[in-house]
Amino acid sequence: PAPASPPPPRPNLLQTLTSEASVKIALYLGAFFVIAAALILAALVAILRLPILAGAAISFGVTALFLKKRLPQPSFILWLVGSALALISAGVLADLIGAVNRAETAYWSFILLLASVGWAFSAWFYRSRLFALAAFGAFALSSWFAADIFNPEADFYLFTLSAAGIAGLAWAWALRRILGDSFYKPVFFAVQTYQFFTVTAFILTLTAALFAKDSQAWWLFSAFSTLNFALFYLLSDFLSPFAPFRFLSAAALTPTLWLALQETSLPATGFALAWTGWGTLLALSAEILRRIKLPRLSGYVTPLTLGAVYALFSGAILAIVEKETVLQVGLFAVAGSLLLALHLVQRRWWVWLFSLAALLGAYFSAWELPALQQWDWNGFYPMLAACAALSLFDWLLPGDGKAHPAWRSPLRFWLSALGAVLSLGTLMEGVQDPTLGAHILGGLALLGGISALRFQSPRMGILLTGYTPLTVLYGLRANGQADAWLPVLAGLAATYYLTGFALARFKPQGWSLLLRRSGLSLVAVLLFAALLEERAWAGWIAGAGLLFFVMEAFGHSPWLELALYPLAWLALGLILRGSDAFGAQTLTGISVLTLGTETLFAKLSRSPRPWAAILLFLSGLLTFGSVALILATEESLSRALLFGLLAVGFWGVAHLRRAPKVGYLWFFFLAFTLFFGLDAAGQEKWLAPFTALFLAVYALAWLPYPSGWEKIRRFSGLALATLTALSAPLENSGLAGSVPVSMAATLWAVEAFRRRNVWLGFPANALYLMAYFMILLTLEVKEPQFYSVGAAVLGMLMHYLLLRTGSKAGAFFTGMASQLVLLSTTYIQMAANNDLAFFAALFLQSLVVLVYGLVIRSRSLVFTPLLFVVLGVVTVVFSVLKGIATVLLIGCTGVLFLLLGIVAIVLRERLANLRQKLSDWQA
């Protein structure tokens, strides 16, 4: 194999400090600090703020132009600061002029338009994506202020903002033509995000206007806004083809006519007809586009068709709201016929799905006509007739059940939906009218059986075997034989299973499997239903069906053994329900039944039983539960003896079966024995005995005998140590309570070093931190900084260890978490107390962590302090902490960062030149 290339040399400290990332952070952070200091100064000094800010803006701009060729990156930062200061100066000028109302609005619209033009030039001059985004943002704000001049309703604002989105697309297109895709994409995504919020605001405003009693909405501008949205997404699709744009464009176009007609006094029936006409027009437009077959327009066929579906159904639903029965029948019929014609022209399953929905709507609406109301039919019978018609259409389609999916899938969807609604309704209505229930459910069973035979599908036979018991149940109620339901249904379950068992010799096996599983499912249902039957023999009848589970588990499906146990418990509970000894004896009987059944399968079953160990463990739990239930009222000494016996018993089971994992139970019961023993002796302090216990258990882990127990003892000792440590605050032992916590943490640390696993340092550090907090609380230390500093130090330690082991994800998480604990505490105290000392602490902490992160080249130690220092400065700008001291601290630091960034660039160039001159020198 080719020799592996050596890793690149790690940069030294000077190279790290003059690296590209360090220089960018220094320049951008310095720019932010200078702008923040300027904002504070503008709020403090009323007389000198305009000359100071204007002079600073001009100075930064001229310096930026002077450094453009020599130092392009500092020039960009200085130009950014100058443009921001210019905008702040414009705000100060507006305050001095005293413009109000429309004059102030027009002033800011003009200023933002100038800023947009200036930043557009800056985007070209510096080839900057940031200025390109800022140009669009300024233009959008300028549009808002321009609309505000006329003091309109919200509809005009949204119309103006939607038009600004189209202008943003034009700006993105210009950037692509001039500067390339790398500048086009950020602006394009920003414009899409902007338009998303505009559309959201439009929907909320429109919803509020619809529910308002006296709405003053300008509906015509709302209609124009939808046209703007449709044009926006159309142009977006042409600029960057994306399927959702086509659907959004069609969705925006769909309500246009309805919004325009809101300005008229058209009646509701006219709106319904208008919706239908608009939907027909959209459908025809989609069909025309499909026939034209232009690549860019063919993608709009489906969106426009969906818009047509929405419009057609809106008209019909509006007719339903207005209770115009004849109109709703007609509109549903028109919608269904039109969609059916579209489906016949081009097979599309979803068009046929909506067509069927409309035709079904016309069918059910027709039953509301006066001519059909005189028949006085129950509404479930028309639904059954609709299910029969859909099933007949399904049967008449050629081929098997998978042929012609464009026709068959929508049919079966609506058939399933109608069947589900009909079944639920019949089950509730059948309580009052069991004859109706027997008729409807019998009809569904018949349809399911015919479909299963027509398509030779045993899966469809589930409908027959599922609806038949319900039909029998309602038939018995209708004939006055309701008390015979349990034996009759038990006989039906036996018929199912025995018939399937007899068919098991024939192929294919689908029908046999259907009948066997239907019989077993009916037996399981009868067991739960027998809870409603108070007669004593109910449990015996239902429990007899468990023989079928035994036959199936031995003969075909071994996994059914798992289902047999809970059903057997239920049957035993039903049998013993009438006896006086229903408590502990029942639980004991269940445990004996479980052990006996498990033994039976272990001896006779020839199939592998991977769940045998789980069943034995479950049997042990049941036995323990029965004993605990018997001794529930006994004293603590009896409990201690019981747990001691259980501990010895499970110790024997673990050794006799050579199953060390059962040893976990031995240590578990041993701990309970010690706990109840202390309680019986009147001892209220448990930390010292339990500390000795977990130390002894962990020490035994170092013994090699017996084999396989080392891990069990080690993990049990760690678990006991952790539980003891977590319970330490409950004992109220003062400083002594932190000792078991520290010892538990030490065990985790020993385990981490023994296994060379740095991840085990997390529980060790967590417990050390817990002990540290307990000491602070005992000493009544209330300053949050003490708590956050300790957590941050341990987090930094874990960050360093994980970084050394190469665990980048863990190092990133711990670095972020430790800084959030430290910096968020300081920030919260600063915000709560309005104390400049906390701001200085946050400022210096963030800068120290930032410098350390740059030195060790750690992402997690750079982003978080940047976020908090920016957040702290922003909080100061808008709080009572702003003053000359903060101006000096923030402003001087910003200037210092700018100078350091420029010096780093110059120094980096000189180092490169010096290295080049000394490249041929010898060492």
Side-chain angles (χ1 to χ4, degrees):
S5 58
R10 189 175 182 86
N12 56 35
L13 179 60
L14 186 59
Q15 290 174 335
T16 300
L17 293 177
T18 59
S19 64
E20 190 72 17
S22 302
V23 169
K24 286 185 177 181
I25 290 175
L27 291 175
Y28 282 103
L29 197 57
F32 171 75
F33 287 159
V34 170
I35 295 172
L39 286 172
I40 299 174
L41 185 62
L44 291 176
V45 187
I47 300 176
L48 300 177
R49 55 182 178 175
L50 182 60
I52 292 174
L53 292 174
I58 294 173
S59 300
F60 276 104
V62 172
T63 307
L65 294 175
F66 177 75
L67 296 176
K68 176 63 170 64
K69 293 183 178 180
R70 173 65 177 170
L71 300 173
Q73 194 173 31
S75 172
F76 169 77
I77 299 299
L78 294 175
W79 183 264
L80 176 64
V81 175
S83 60
L85 292 177
L87 199 59
I88 297 173
S89 302
V92 175
L93 180 61
D95 291 338
L96 294 177
I97 293 175
V100 294
N101 298 331
R102 295 188 177 183
E104 182 182 11
T105 304
Y107 170 81
W108 277 111
S109 177
F110 177 72
I111 290 297
L112 289 171
L113 183 61
L114 287 180
S116 176
V117 174
W119 282 333
F121 165 76
S122 303
W124 167 81
F125 187 67
Y126 283 102
R127 300 184 66 85
S128 168
R129 302 177 184 86
L130 177 63
F131 282 127
L133 292 171
F136 170 69
F139 181 80
L141 287 176
S142 176
S143 303
W144 171 273
F145 283 106
D148 193 49
I149 295 174
F150 304 99
N151 194 20
E153 294 293 332
D155 309 86
F156 186 75
Y157 282 106
L158 295 170
F159 167 72
T160 307
L161 294 177
S162 62
I166 298 176
L169 287 180
W171 172 233
W173 173 81
L175 287 173
R176 172 187 275 182
R177 297 293 300 271
I178 299 173
L179 299 178
D181 283 347
S182 61
F183 288 81
Y184 156 78
K185 290 180 180 179
V187 175
F188 182 77
F189 291 144
V191 173
Q192 295 298 327
T193 305
Y194 161 84
Q195 198 72 322
F196 168 77
F197 286 107
T198 305
V199 172
T200 303
F202 174 79
I203 294 173
L204 295 176
T205 303
L206 184 62
T207 304
L210 290 174
F211 286 98
K213 293 183 178 179
D214 300 323
S215 175
Q216 302 296 325
W218 296 1
W219 297 102
L220 198 57
F221 280 103
S222 296
F224 289 150
S225 296
T226 58
L227 291 177
N228 282 341
F229 293 141
L231 179 61
F232 174 84
Y233 288 112
L234 177 68
L235 295 176
S236 298
D237 185 54
F238 274 89
L239 286 176
S240 182
F242 186 47
F245 287 151
R246 302 158 199 165
F247 289 92
L248 290 172
S249 180
L253 187 64
T254 301
T256 301
L257 179 63
W258 173 73
L259 290 172
L261 291 177
Q262 292 293 325
E263 294 287 354
T264 67
S265 57
L266 197 66
T269 54
F271 273 99
L273 293 172
W275 270 117
T276 303
W278 183 242
T280 304
L281 181 61
L282 290 176
L284 295 177
S285 302
E287 185 61 24
I288 292 173
L289 291 180
R290 188 182 68 82
R291 292 181 179 274
I292 292 177
K293 296 182 179 179
L294 290 176
R296 283 297 184 94
L297 297 178
S298 60
Y300 288 87
V301 175
T302 298
L304 286 177
T305 306
L306 286 173
V309 170
Y310 175 81
L312 291 170
F313 276 88
S314 297
I317 293 173
L318 187 58
I320 294 176
V321 174
E322 296 298 322
K323 298 181 180 180
E324 296 287 343
T325 307
V326 177
L327 182 61
Q328 76 186 51
V329 172
L331 293 183
F332 270 126
V334 169
S337 302
L338 179 60
L339 294 175
L340 177 60
L342 293 178
H343 179 62
L344 291 172
V345 171
Q346 184 185 17
R347 302 290 187 272
R348 287 166 291 182
W349 66 268
W350 57 272
V351 176
W352 175 227
L353 181 74
F354 288 114
S355 175
L356 277 176
L359 294 175
L360 287 173
Y363 167 73
F364 288 115
S365 299
W367 283 93
E368 300 295 328
L369 295 173
L372 297 179
Q373 284 290 316
Q374 60 184 356
W375 289 5
D376 195 22
W377 281 93
N378 189 292
F380 290 108
Y381 289 104
M383 293 182 67
L384 181 61
C387 291
L390 292 175
S391 299
L392 180 61
F393 195 177
D394 190 14
W395 300 336
L396 293 177
L397 286 174
D400 58 8
K402 297 181 181 179
H404 306 286
W407 287 97
R408 195 163 255 133
S409 298
L411 274 174
R412 292 184 175 178
F413 173 81
W414 287 118
L415 181 59
S416 302
L418 281 177
V421 173
L422 185 58
S423 301
L424 293 175
T426 304
L427 290 174
M428 292 185 291
E429 186 72 19
V431 176
Q432 303 296 329
D433 189 358
T435 303
L436 171 69
H439 290 167
I440 299 298
L441 296 173
L444 292 175
L446 180 62
L447 292 177
I450 296 174
S451 297
L453 294 175
R454 160 66 178 84
F455 299 110
Q456 290 298 305
S457 173
R459 290 185 178 181
M460 289 187 176
I462 297 175
L463 298 174
L464 175 62
T465 59
Y467 281 115
T468 299
L470 295 173
T471 305
V472 171
L473 182 63
Y474 281 103
L476 291 174
R477 288 175 57 85
N479 294 320
Q481 303 292 327
D483 293 338
W485 67 273
L486 185 57
V488 171
L489 292 182
L492 180 60
T495 303
Y496 279 168
Y497 185 80
L498 294 177
T499 305
F501 190 79
L503 293 176
R505 298 182 179 181
F506 302 97
K507 294 183 178 181
Q509 294 287 317
W511 296 102
S512 172
L513 185 62
L514 165 70
L515 292 171
R516 297 200 316 270
R517 292 190 175 177
S518 298
L520 295 176
S521 301
L522 186 54
V523 168
V525 172
L526 288 178
L527 278 170
F528 286 97
L531 292 171
L532 305 175
E533 184 64 63
E534 296 182 356
R535 287 173 288 184
W537 49 266
W540 292 102
I541 292 179
L546 293 177
L547 294 175
F548 299 143
F549 277 87
V550 176
M551 295 169 59
E552 187 71 12
F554 277 114
H556 300 91
S557 304
W559 57 269
L560 277 177
E561 179 192 351
L562 294 176
L564 178 63
Y565 292 101
L567 295 177
W569 301 341
L570 180 59
L572 182 60
L574 290 172
I575 294 172
L576 299 178
R577 179 171 52 180
S579 63
D580 295 333
F582 183 68
Q585 285 77 358
T586 301
L587 190 57
T588 305
I590 287 175
S591 63
V592 172
L593 179 63
T594 303
L595 284 172
T597 307
E598 198 280 331
T599 304
L600 175 66
F601 277 94
K603 295 295 184 181
L604 301 179
S605 178
R606 299 180 180 179
S607 302
R609 300 174 62 251
W611 50 80
I614 299 176
L615 291 175
L616 287 174
F617 175 71
L618 182 60
S619 300
L621 285 182
L622 290 171
T623 304
F624 167 72
S626 63
V627 175
L629 187 61
I630 294 172
L631 301 178
T633 58
E634 294 294 332
E635 58 183 8
S636 297
L637 180 60
S638 299
R639 295 175 183 175
L641 294 175
L642 176 63
F643 279 115
L645 291 174
L646 287 173
V648 174
F650 276 96
W651 179 85
V653 169
H655 284 80
L656 292 176
R657 296 179 64 92
R658 295 184 179 179
K661 291 184 178 179
V662 183
Y664 286 120
L665 290 175
W666 138 246
F667 291 114
F668 173 79
F669 288 127
L670 183 62
F672 271 90
T673 302
L674 177 60
F675 178 78
F676 286 112
L678 292 173
D679 187 42
Q683 295 292 330
E684 297 181 357
K685 303 292 184 179
W686 66 87
L687 288 181
F690 270 89
T691 302
L693 177 62
F694 72 69
L695 289 176
V697 172
Y698 189 80
L700 289 174
W702 302 94
L703 297 178
Y705 179 82
S707 178
W709 279 81
E710 297 86 354
K711 183 188 297 185
I712 308 301
R713 292 167 177 167
R714 182 174 295 110
F715 288 165
S716 299
L718 290 174
L720 288 173
T722 304
L723 293 175
T724 304
L726 294 177
S727 66
L730 303 177
E731 192 180 86
N732 296 324
S733 299
L735 291 176
S738 62
V739 175
V741 183
S742 302
M743 298 183 73
T746 304
L747 292 187
W748 280 104
V750 170
E751 190 68 16
F753 280 105
R754 190 190 69 84
R755 301 178 62 179
R756 298 183 182 274
N757 188 346
V758 70
W759 294 97
L760 295 179
F762 277 106
N765 281 337
L767 292 174
Y768 276 129
L769 188 63
M770 179 180 175
Y772 172 66
F773 285 171
M774 290 176 63
I775 294 173
L776 291 179
L777 291 173
T778 305
L779 297 177
E780 297 183 356
V781 177
K782 298 181 180 180
E783 181 62 43
Q785 290 288 326
F786 286 95
Y787 295 87
S788 62
V789 167
V793 168
L794 288 175
M796 291 293 183
L797 174 61
M798 283 305 303
H799 176 271
Y800 172 75
L801 294 175
L802 291 170
L803 205 61
R804 289 290 302 270
T805 57
S807 301
K808 295 183 178 180
F812 180 82
F813 171 76
T814 52
M816 291 292 293
S818 60
Q819 294 169 93
L820 287 175
V821 169
L822 175 65
L823 300 178
S824 61
T825 303
T826 309
Y827 176 78
I828 292 172
Q829 285 192 276
M830 181 195 74
N833 299 330
N834 286 325
D835 192 347
L836 185 60
F838 288 110
F839 169 71
L842 177 66
F843 197 80
L844 296 177
Q845 285 175 356
S846 301
L847 293 183
V848 170
V849 175
L850 175 62
V851 172
Y852 175 67
L854 291 175
V855 171
I856 67 172
R857 302 176 63 84
S858 173
R859 290 174 294 176
S860 61
L861 297 178
V862 171
F863 295 126
T864 305
L866 278 176
L867 173 65
F868 271 94
V869 75
V870 171
L871 182 61
V873 172
V874 171
T875 305
V876 166
V877 171
F878 296 101
S879 69
V880 298
L881 293 179
K882 54 189 177 183
I884 297 300
T886 53
V887 170
L888 293 175
L889 177 63
I890 298 173
C892 294
T893 306
V895 173
L896 178 62
F897 269 104
L898 289 174
L899 293 176
L900 288 176
I902 297 173
V903 169
I905 293 178
V906 175
L907 184 61
R908 185 173 59 192
E909 293 179 355
R910 292 185 177 179
L911 285 176
N913 294 333
L914 181 61
R915 192 180 299 111
Q916 184 177 4
K917 291 179 180 180
L918 300 177
S919 60
D920 56 345
W921 286 29
Q922 295 183 3

